[in-house]
Amino acid sequence: MKPTKIADGIYDVGVIDWNIRDFHGYSTDRGTSYNAFLVIDEKVALIDTVKAPFADQLIGNISQIIDPRKIDVVVSNHTEMDHSGSLPHIMHRIGEEKPLYCSKLGAQNLVSHFSNNWNYHPVKEGEDLRLGARTLTFMETRMIHWPDSMFTYLKEDHILFSSDGFGQHYAGFDKFDDQAGADLMVQAKKYFANILLLYAPRILNLIEKVVASGIRIDMICPDHGVIWRKDPGRIIDAYLRWSRQETEKKAVVIYDTMWKSTETMANAIAEGISSTGVNVKPIHIRSSHRSDIMTDVLDAAAVVVGSPTLNNQMFPTVADVLIYMKGLKPANKIGGAFGSYGWSGEAVKLVAEELEAMKFKMVAPGPRLQYVPDDAGKAACIEYGRQIGEAVNAG
Ligand code: FEO
């Protein structure tokens, strides 16, 4: 693959993973890329690497610009192996004595991953590294999204190398925001909802601190997906909205069903919500991936979850979605639980307890119907949906 020139002397030498569809449980329907950046000055710096199976491609891409042995400095913004997996290959190739800049925890974590004795230079917040005419400044971004995470800022060019931040699992030859289509923001939202939402308060704090400092950012280069060169403010504004967990006038009705009774209830609840003017989306769990469900949850004002009772428990797929959702810590939600049952009927209570544990504001006890919903049962579901819609409208 031909490296992408970002600016004079600055290249993306990363790789595209066209065919990945499951990224540790996240559905990557658009594939992804592992971006790595070469900055050529008096000293040559490589910022991040790629997943191990792509190491030869990375070397090949670098070789189109410069002999890899001329790399003087490697920067590792993050230890997760989609960005560090090729480090052993790279360090061996360029010379293991070359300095490796990373956070203090990055140095510890890289040793834990690769059992090596590289020439680590753990950096402090705000530390500079002069390359010649250009300067790299390191910014600690702990827990965004690993303890070792940091950003690297190229001062003279006003370019932020943001590791996973502002990334998207989006494979394409369209490497810049002004080239990518409408799916770009969809993928950026999905990335935030599934990778970063858990750390929303830290992200908000970081962005507010950066904005207050007046640091100029002309371009954001994440380690996945496209580079924000035309309008980096677009993704920064979206991150501010998402990290504040702002919601829209929207509800999701997430359910699974055994004999269509819970589905009938879900559709009736959705009808009731819709009657209040609130946008609503019923989501059958086995027709949607949990990472897509989470993307819809991100900006929904109401999350209503339905489950049949199976073996005195909620349905296993419902438990899967709830435990995934709980880990990501969505906030500012109205909650609802409902479901059908045959004889014992514990699921609705169990689902409600999970939503309450997530601090969702429960509207009212949700409908719990035996076997097949009759007209009165369907009417109760519509009324429940109406109450949820009104709660959303009340804001
Ligand atoms: Fe793209 Fe946290 O790795």
Side-chain angles (χ1 to χ4, degrees):
M1 187 178 144
K2 197 166 175 288
T4 303
K5 184 174 177 182
I6 295 171
D8 280 346
I10 307 173
Y11 300 86
D12 178 3
V13 288
V15 302
I16 297 176
D17 190 348
W18 293 102
N19 297 319
I20 188 168
R21 291 293 177 270
D22 183 327
F23 196 104
H24 52 52
Y26 173 137
S27 74
T28 45
D29 45 313
R30 285 289 307 238
T32 194
S33 68
Y34 313 111
N35 303 337
F37 302 97
L38 197 64
V39 181
I40 297 178
D41 206 308
E42 287 167 30
K43 286 183 182 166
V44 177
L46 175 67
I47 301 175
D48 292 325
T49 71
V50 302
K51 217 172 174 181
F54 298 89
D56 286 339
Q57 270 190 51
L58 172 64
I59 295 281
N61 292 346
I62 295 168
S63 301
Q64 292 180 55
I65 308 293
I66 195 168
D67 181 341
R69 288 171 298 184
K70 291 193 172 160
I71 292 172
D72 297 293
V73 174
V74 177
V75 175
S76 171
N77 278 328
H78 175 30
T79 308
E80 195 164 12
M81 285 190 286
D82 47 333
H83 310 298
S84 69
S86 295
L87 264 178
H89 202 82
I90 284 284
M91 297 310 289
H92 179 72
R93 183 68 178 258
I94 69 173
E96 308 228 344
E97 75 287 356
K98 300 280 178 71
L100 174 50
Y101 285 73
C102 56
S103 67
K104 192 173 162 202
L105 289 169
Q108 290 174 18
N109 289 350
L110 286 167
V111 170
S112 300
H113 278 69
F114 301 108
S115 304
N116 54 54
N117 193 24
W118 292 325
N119 181 15
Y120 290 107
H121 279 240
V123 298
K124 296 190 187 74
E125 164 69 17
E127 186 172 327
D128 284 345
L129 168 63
R130 293 285 299 179
L131 299 177
R134 286 169 156 141
T135 314
L136 297 178
T137 303
F138 304 107
M139 302 165 63
E140 187 182 322
T141 59
R142 191 177 293 193
M143 296 318 299
I144 303 175
H145 70 127
W146 272 28
D148 50 62
S149 297
M150 67 175 195
F151 290 176
T152 298
Y153 178 64
L154 185 51
K155 262 187 188 170
E156 292 76 11
D157 299 81
H158 314 292
I159 296 176
L160 183 67
F161 299 97
S162 59
S163 183
D164 281 324
F166 309 109
Q168 337 85 47
H169 285 310
Y170 183 95
F173 291 119
D174 39 356
K175 286 298 296 184
F176 296 97
D177 56 341
D178 46 293
Q179 297 169 334
D183 196 34
L184 173 59
M185 288 309 288
V186 176
Q187 296 300 333
K189 181 183 170 193
K190 181 172 179 176
Y191 194 94
F192 187 96
N194 288 277
I195 308 276
L196 299 173
L197 179 59
L198 169 59
Y199 305 108
R202 282 176 179 269
I203 294 167
L204 184 58
N205 191 273
L206 175 71
I207 295 177
E208 287 178 345
K209 198 172 92 183
V210 168
V211 170
S213 73
I215 292 172
R216 180 173 150 191
I217 297 176
D218 289 348
M219 205 183 298
I220 299 176
C221 298
D223 277 354
H224 297 288
V226 307
I227 291 161
W228 305 91
R229 73 172 173 191
K230 178 165 182 262
D231 190 7
R234 185 181 178 202
I235 190 65
I236 291 172
D237 287 347
Y239 266 50
L240 282 170
R241 284 196 310 278
W242 296 333
S243 57
R244 287 182 187 128
Q245 301 224 34
E246 293 177 6
T247 59
E248 296 186 357
K249 214 166 104 173
K250 167 185 155 184
V252 287
V253 182
I254 304 163
Y255 68 95
D256 207 332
T257 192
M258 292 171 69
W259 292 100
K260 305 280 185 192
S261 292
T262 304
E263 183 166 72
T264 300
M265 296 176 74
N267 289 336
I269 290 168
E271 185 183 328
I273 294 172
S274 181
S275 73
T276 64
V278 171
N279 182 16
V280 58
K281 183 174 181 182
I283 304 174
H284 186 313
I285 291 172
R286 276 179 287 159
S287 300
S288 282
H289 194 275
R290 66 169 88 84
S291 51
D292 291 315
I293 294 173
M294 204 54 223
T295 310
D296 267 318
V297 165
L298 175 63
D299 54 6
V303 177
V304 190
V305 179
S307 177
T309 295
L310 178 70
N311 305 330
N312 305 114
Q313 301 294 328
M314 70 177 84
F315 206 65
T317 54
V318 177
D320 175 281
V321 166
L322 285 175
I323 201 158
Y324 185 67
M325 193 187 299
K326 193 184 202 173
L328 287 163
K329 293 196 165 88
N332 308 331
K333 307 293 181 201
I334 291 161
F338 66 97
S340 71
Y341 67 100
W343 47 97
S344 59
E346 292 89 342
V348 177
K349 179 171 171 283
L350 294 170
V351 168
E353 284 172 359
E354 289 299 323
L355 298 176
E356 282 162 6
M358 290 185 237
K359 300 188 171 57
F360 288 12
K361 199 169 137 198
M362 304 302 280
V363 166
R368 180 176 163 275
L369 302 179
Q370 191 171 24
Y371 292 118
V372 178
D374 58 11
D375 287 346
K378 287 181 210 165
C381 289
I382 292 171
E383 172 55 21
Y384 184 59
R386 198 188 56 72
Q387 287 177 38
I388 288 167
E390 283 183 351
V392 171
N393 284 328

